[in-house]
Amino acid sequence: MKICIVTGGSGGHIFPALTFADGLKEKHEITFIGNDHKMESWIIPEHHYDFKAIHNQGLQGSKLDRVRAVFSQFKAIKQAKSILKEIKPDVLVSFGGYVSFPVVYAAKQLKIKIILHEQNASPGKANKMAARYANAIITCYPESFVGTKNVHMFGNPRASLVHETFDHTQEYERLNLKEDLPLVLMVMGSQGSTSMNEKFAQYIKCFDHDEYQVVIVVGPKNYDEFIKTVDSHHENIHIVDFVDQKALLSKIDLIVCRSGASTIAEIQSFGLASLLIPSPHVANNHQFYNAKSLVDKKAADMIEEAYLSGELLDQSVHALMCDKDHRASLKEEVLKLATPNALSDMVEFVEDVSLYA
């Protein structure tokens, strides 16, 4: 079976698509399509998948930028159609990002089966526009595409990481962590967050707790500058540029993090107590809606960044670490939302063309 995957723009789209491809590659021929100037153009080839590039622009920026973006769609559709004619896929699976719409549109014109995967509670613009052309839609939240036909809530392929075995020993040694102390991980994505780093600096000044240890990930680009702003700090605070988050998943007592799609999938599958701080800098404010979906089900706590200070962060984290019952309740409720078989369910669905013919 020939399967074409289109994705791009952010890790939230790209990494679930790569995990999905990993579940298919032994039995099927996989080709990716993405933008020629975004992160997918180097990340996907690094994972040894065939990558075909088109050029497309998002509908953001000034009025002139948006006009240019509209006209860029025509060229992108033409490029996508040429690639699809060349590779002749049996099905196109779209993981979103603005690069996906012209590819979905071209696939529809060529009568290729189309499956959309929506990672967020509130669908992105590209998937909203593409939904009318889809033979089936796979979601991660019950709020997505309510009332639309042939919708299947299988979840995020990243949730299936729970089936893998990770050894925390090396990461504990690298970070100089203590096995006998509870662990709080604060991470705002692999690259960190400049705005949150300011609040982390305030938090570190407030921190004076011996009962638990905290790893704060500030990002590789911001690390040197951040260290300059922090003089002395409590020995239980560990400031790092990056962290092997997967290695720590089984050891985390509380995670303070953004609410991107892949992060939420991992929180659900590993049953982590979480304090979510949605990024206010993402399209359609989708991280807020991801977090709200969990908060409404009493499966996570949330503080919006605009209302957060270092002092409030210290108070909130300390309250959670002192309340084992509340953390246990968060874990119990978030596990109910887990989709640990998301990858295998998606692979089986895509392989059975009769389900979306």
Side-chain angles (χ1 to χ4, degrees), residues 178 181 207 209-214 234-238:
K178 299 173 182 175
L181 274 186
F207 185 92
H209 310 294
D210 298 321
E211 307 93 329
Y212 51 90
Q213 56 196 337
V214 182
H234 196 286
E235 66 176 2
N236 284 350
I237 290 281
H238 302 266

Side-chain angles (χ1 to χ4, degrees), residues 185-190 192 197 200 215-219 240-243:
L185 175 64
M186 297 187 176
V187 56
M188 298 292 125
S190 59
N197 282 352
F200 285 152
V215 173
I216 300 176
V217 185
V218 298
V240 297
D241 53 352
F242 74 98
V243 70

Side-chain angles (χ1 to χ4, degrees), residues 4 39 43 60 101 135 145 202 268 326:
C4 181
M39 60 192 292
I43 289 177
Q60 291 130 358
F101 178 75
N135 296 84
F145 290 107
Q202 299 166 9
Q268 291 172 336
H326 182 51

Side-chain angles (χ1 to χ4, degrees), residues 24-37:
L24 292 162
K25 64 183 180 182
E26 290 190 8
K27 293 171 60 179
H28 306 288
E29 184 178 332
I30 310 295
T31 303
F32 277 86
I33 298 178
N35 247 318
D36 58 3
H37 63 295

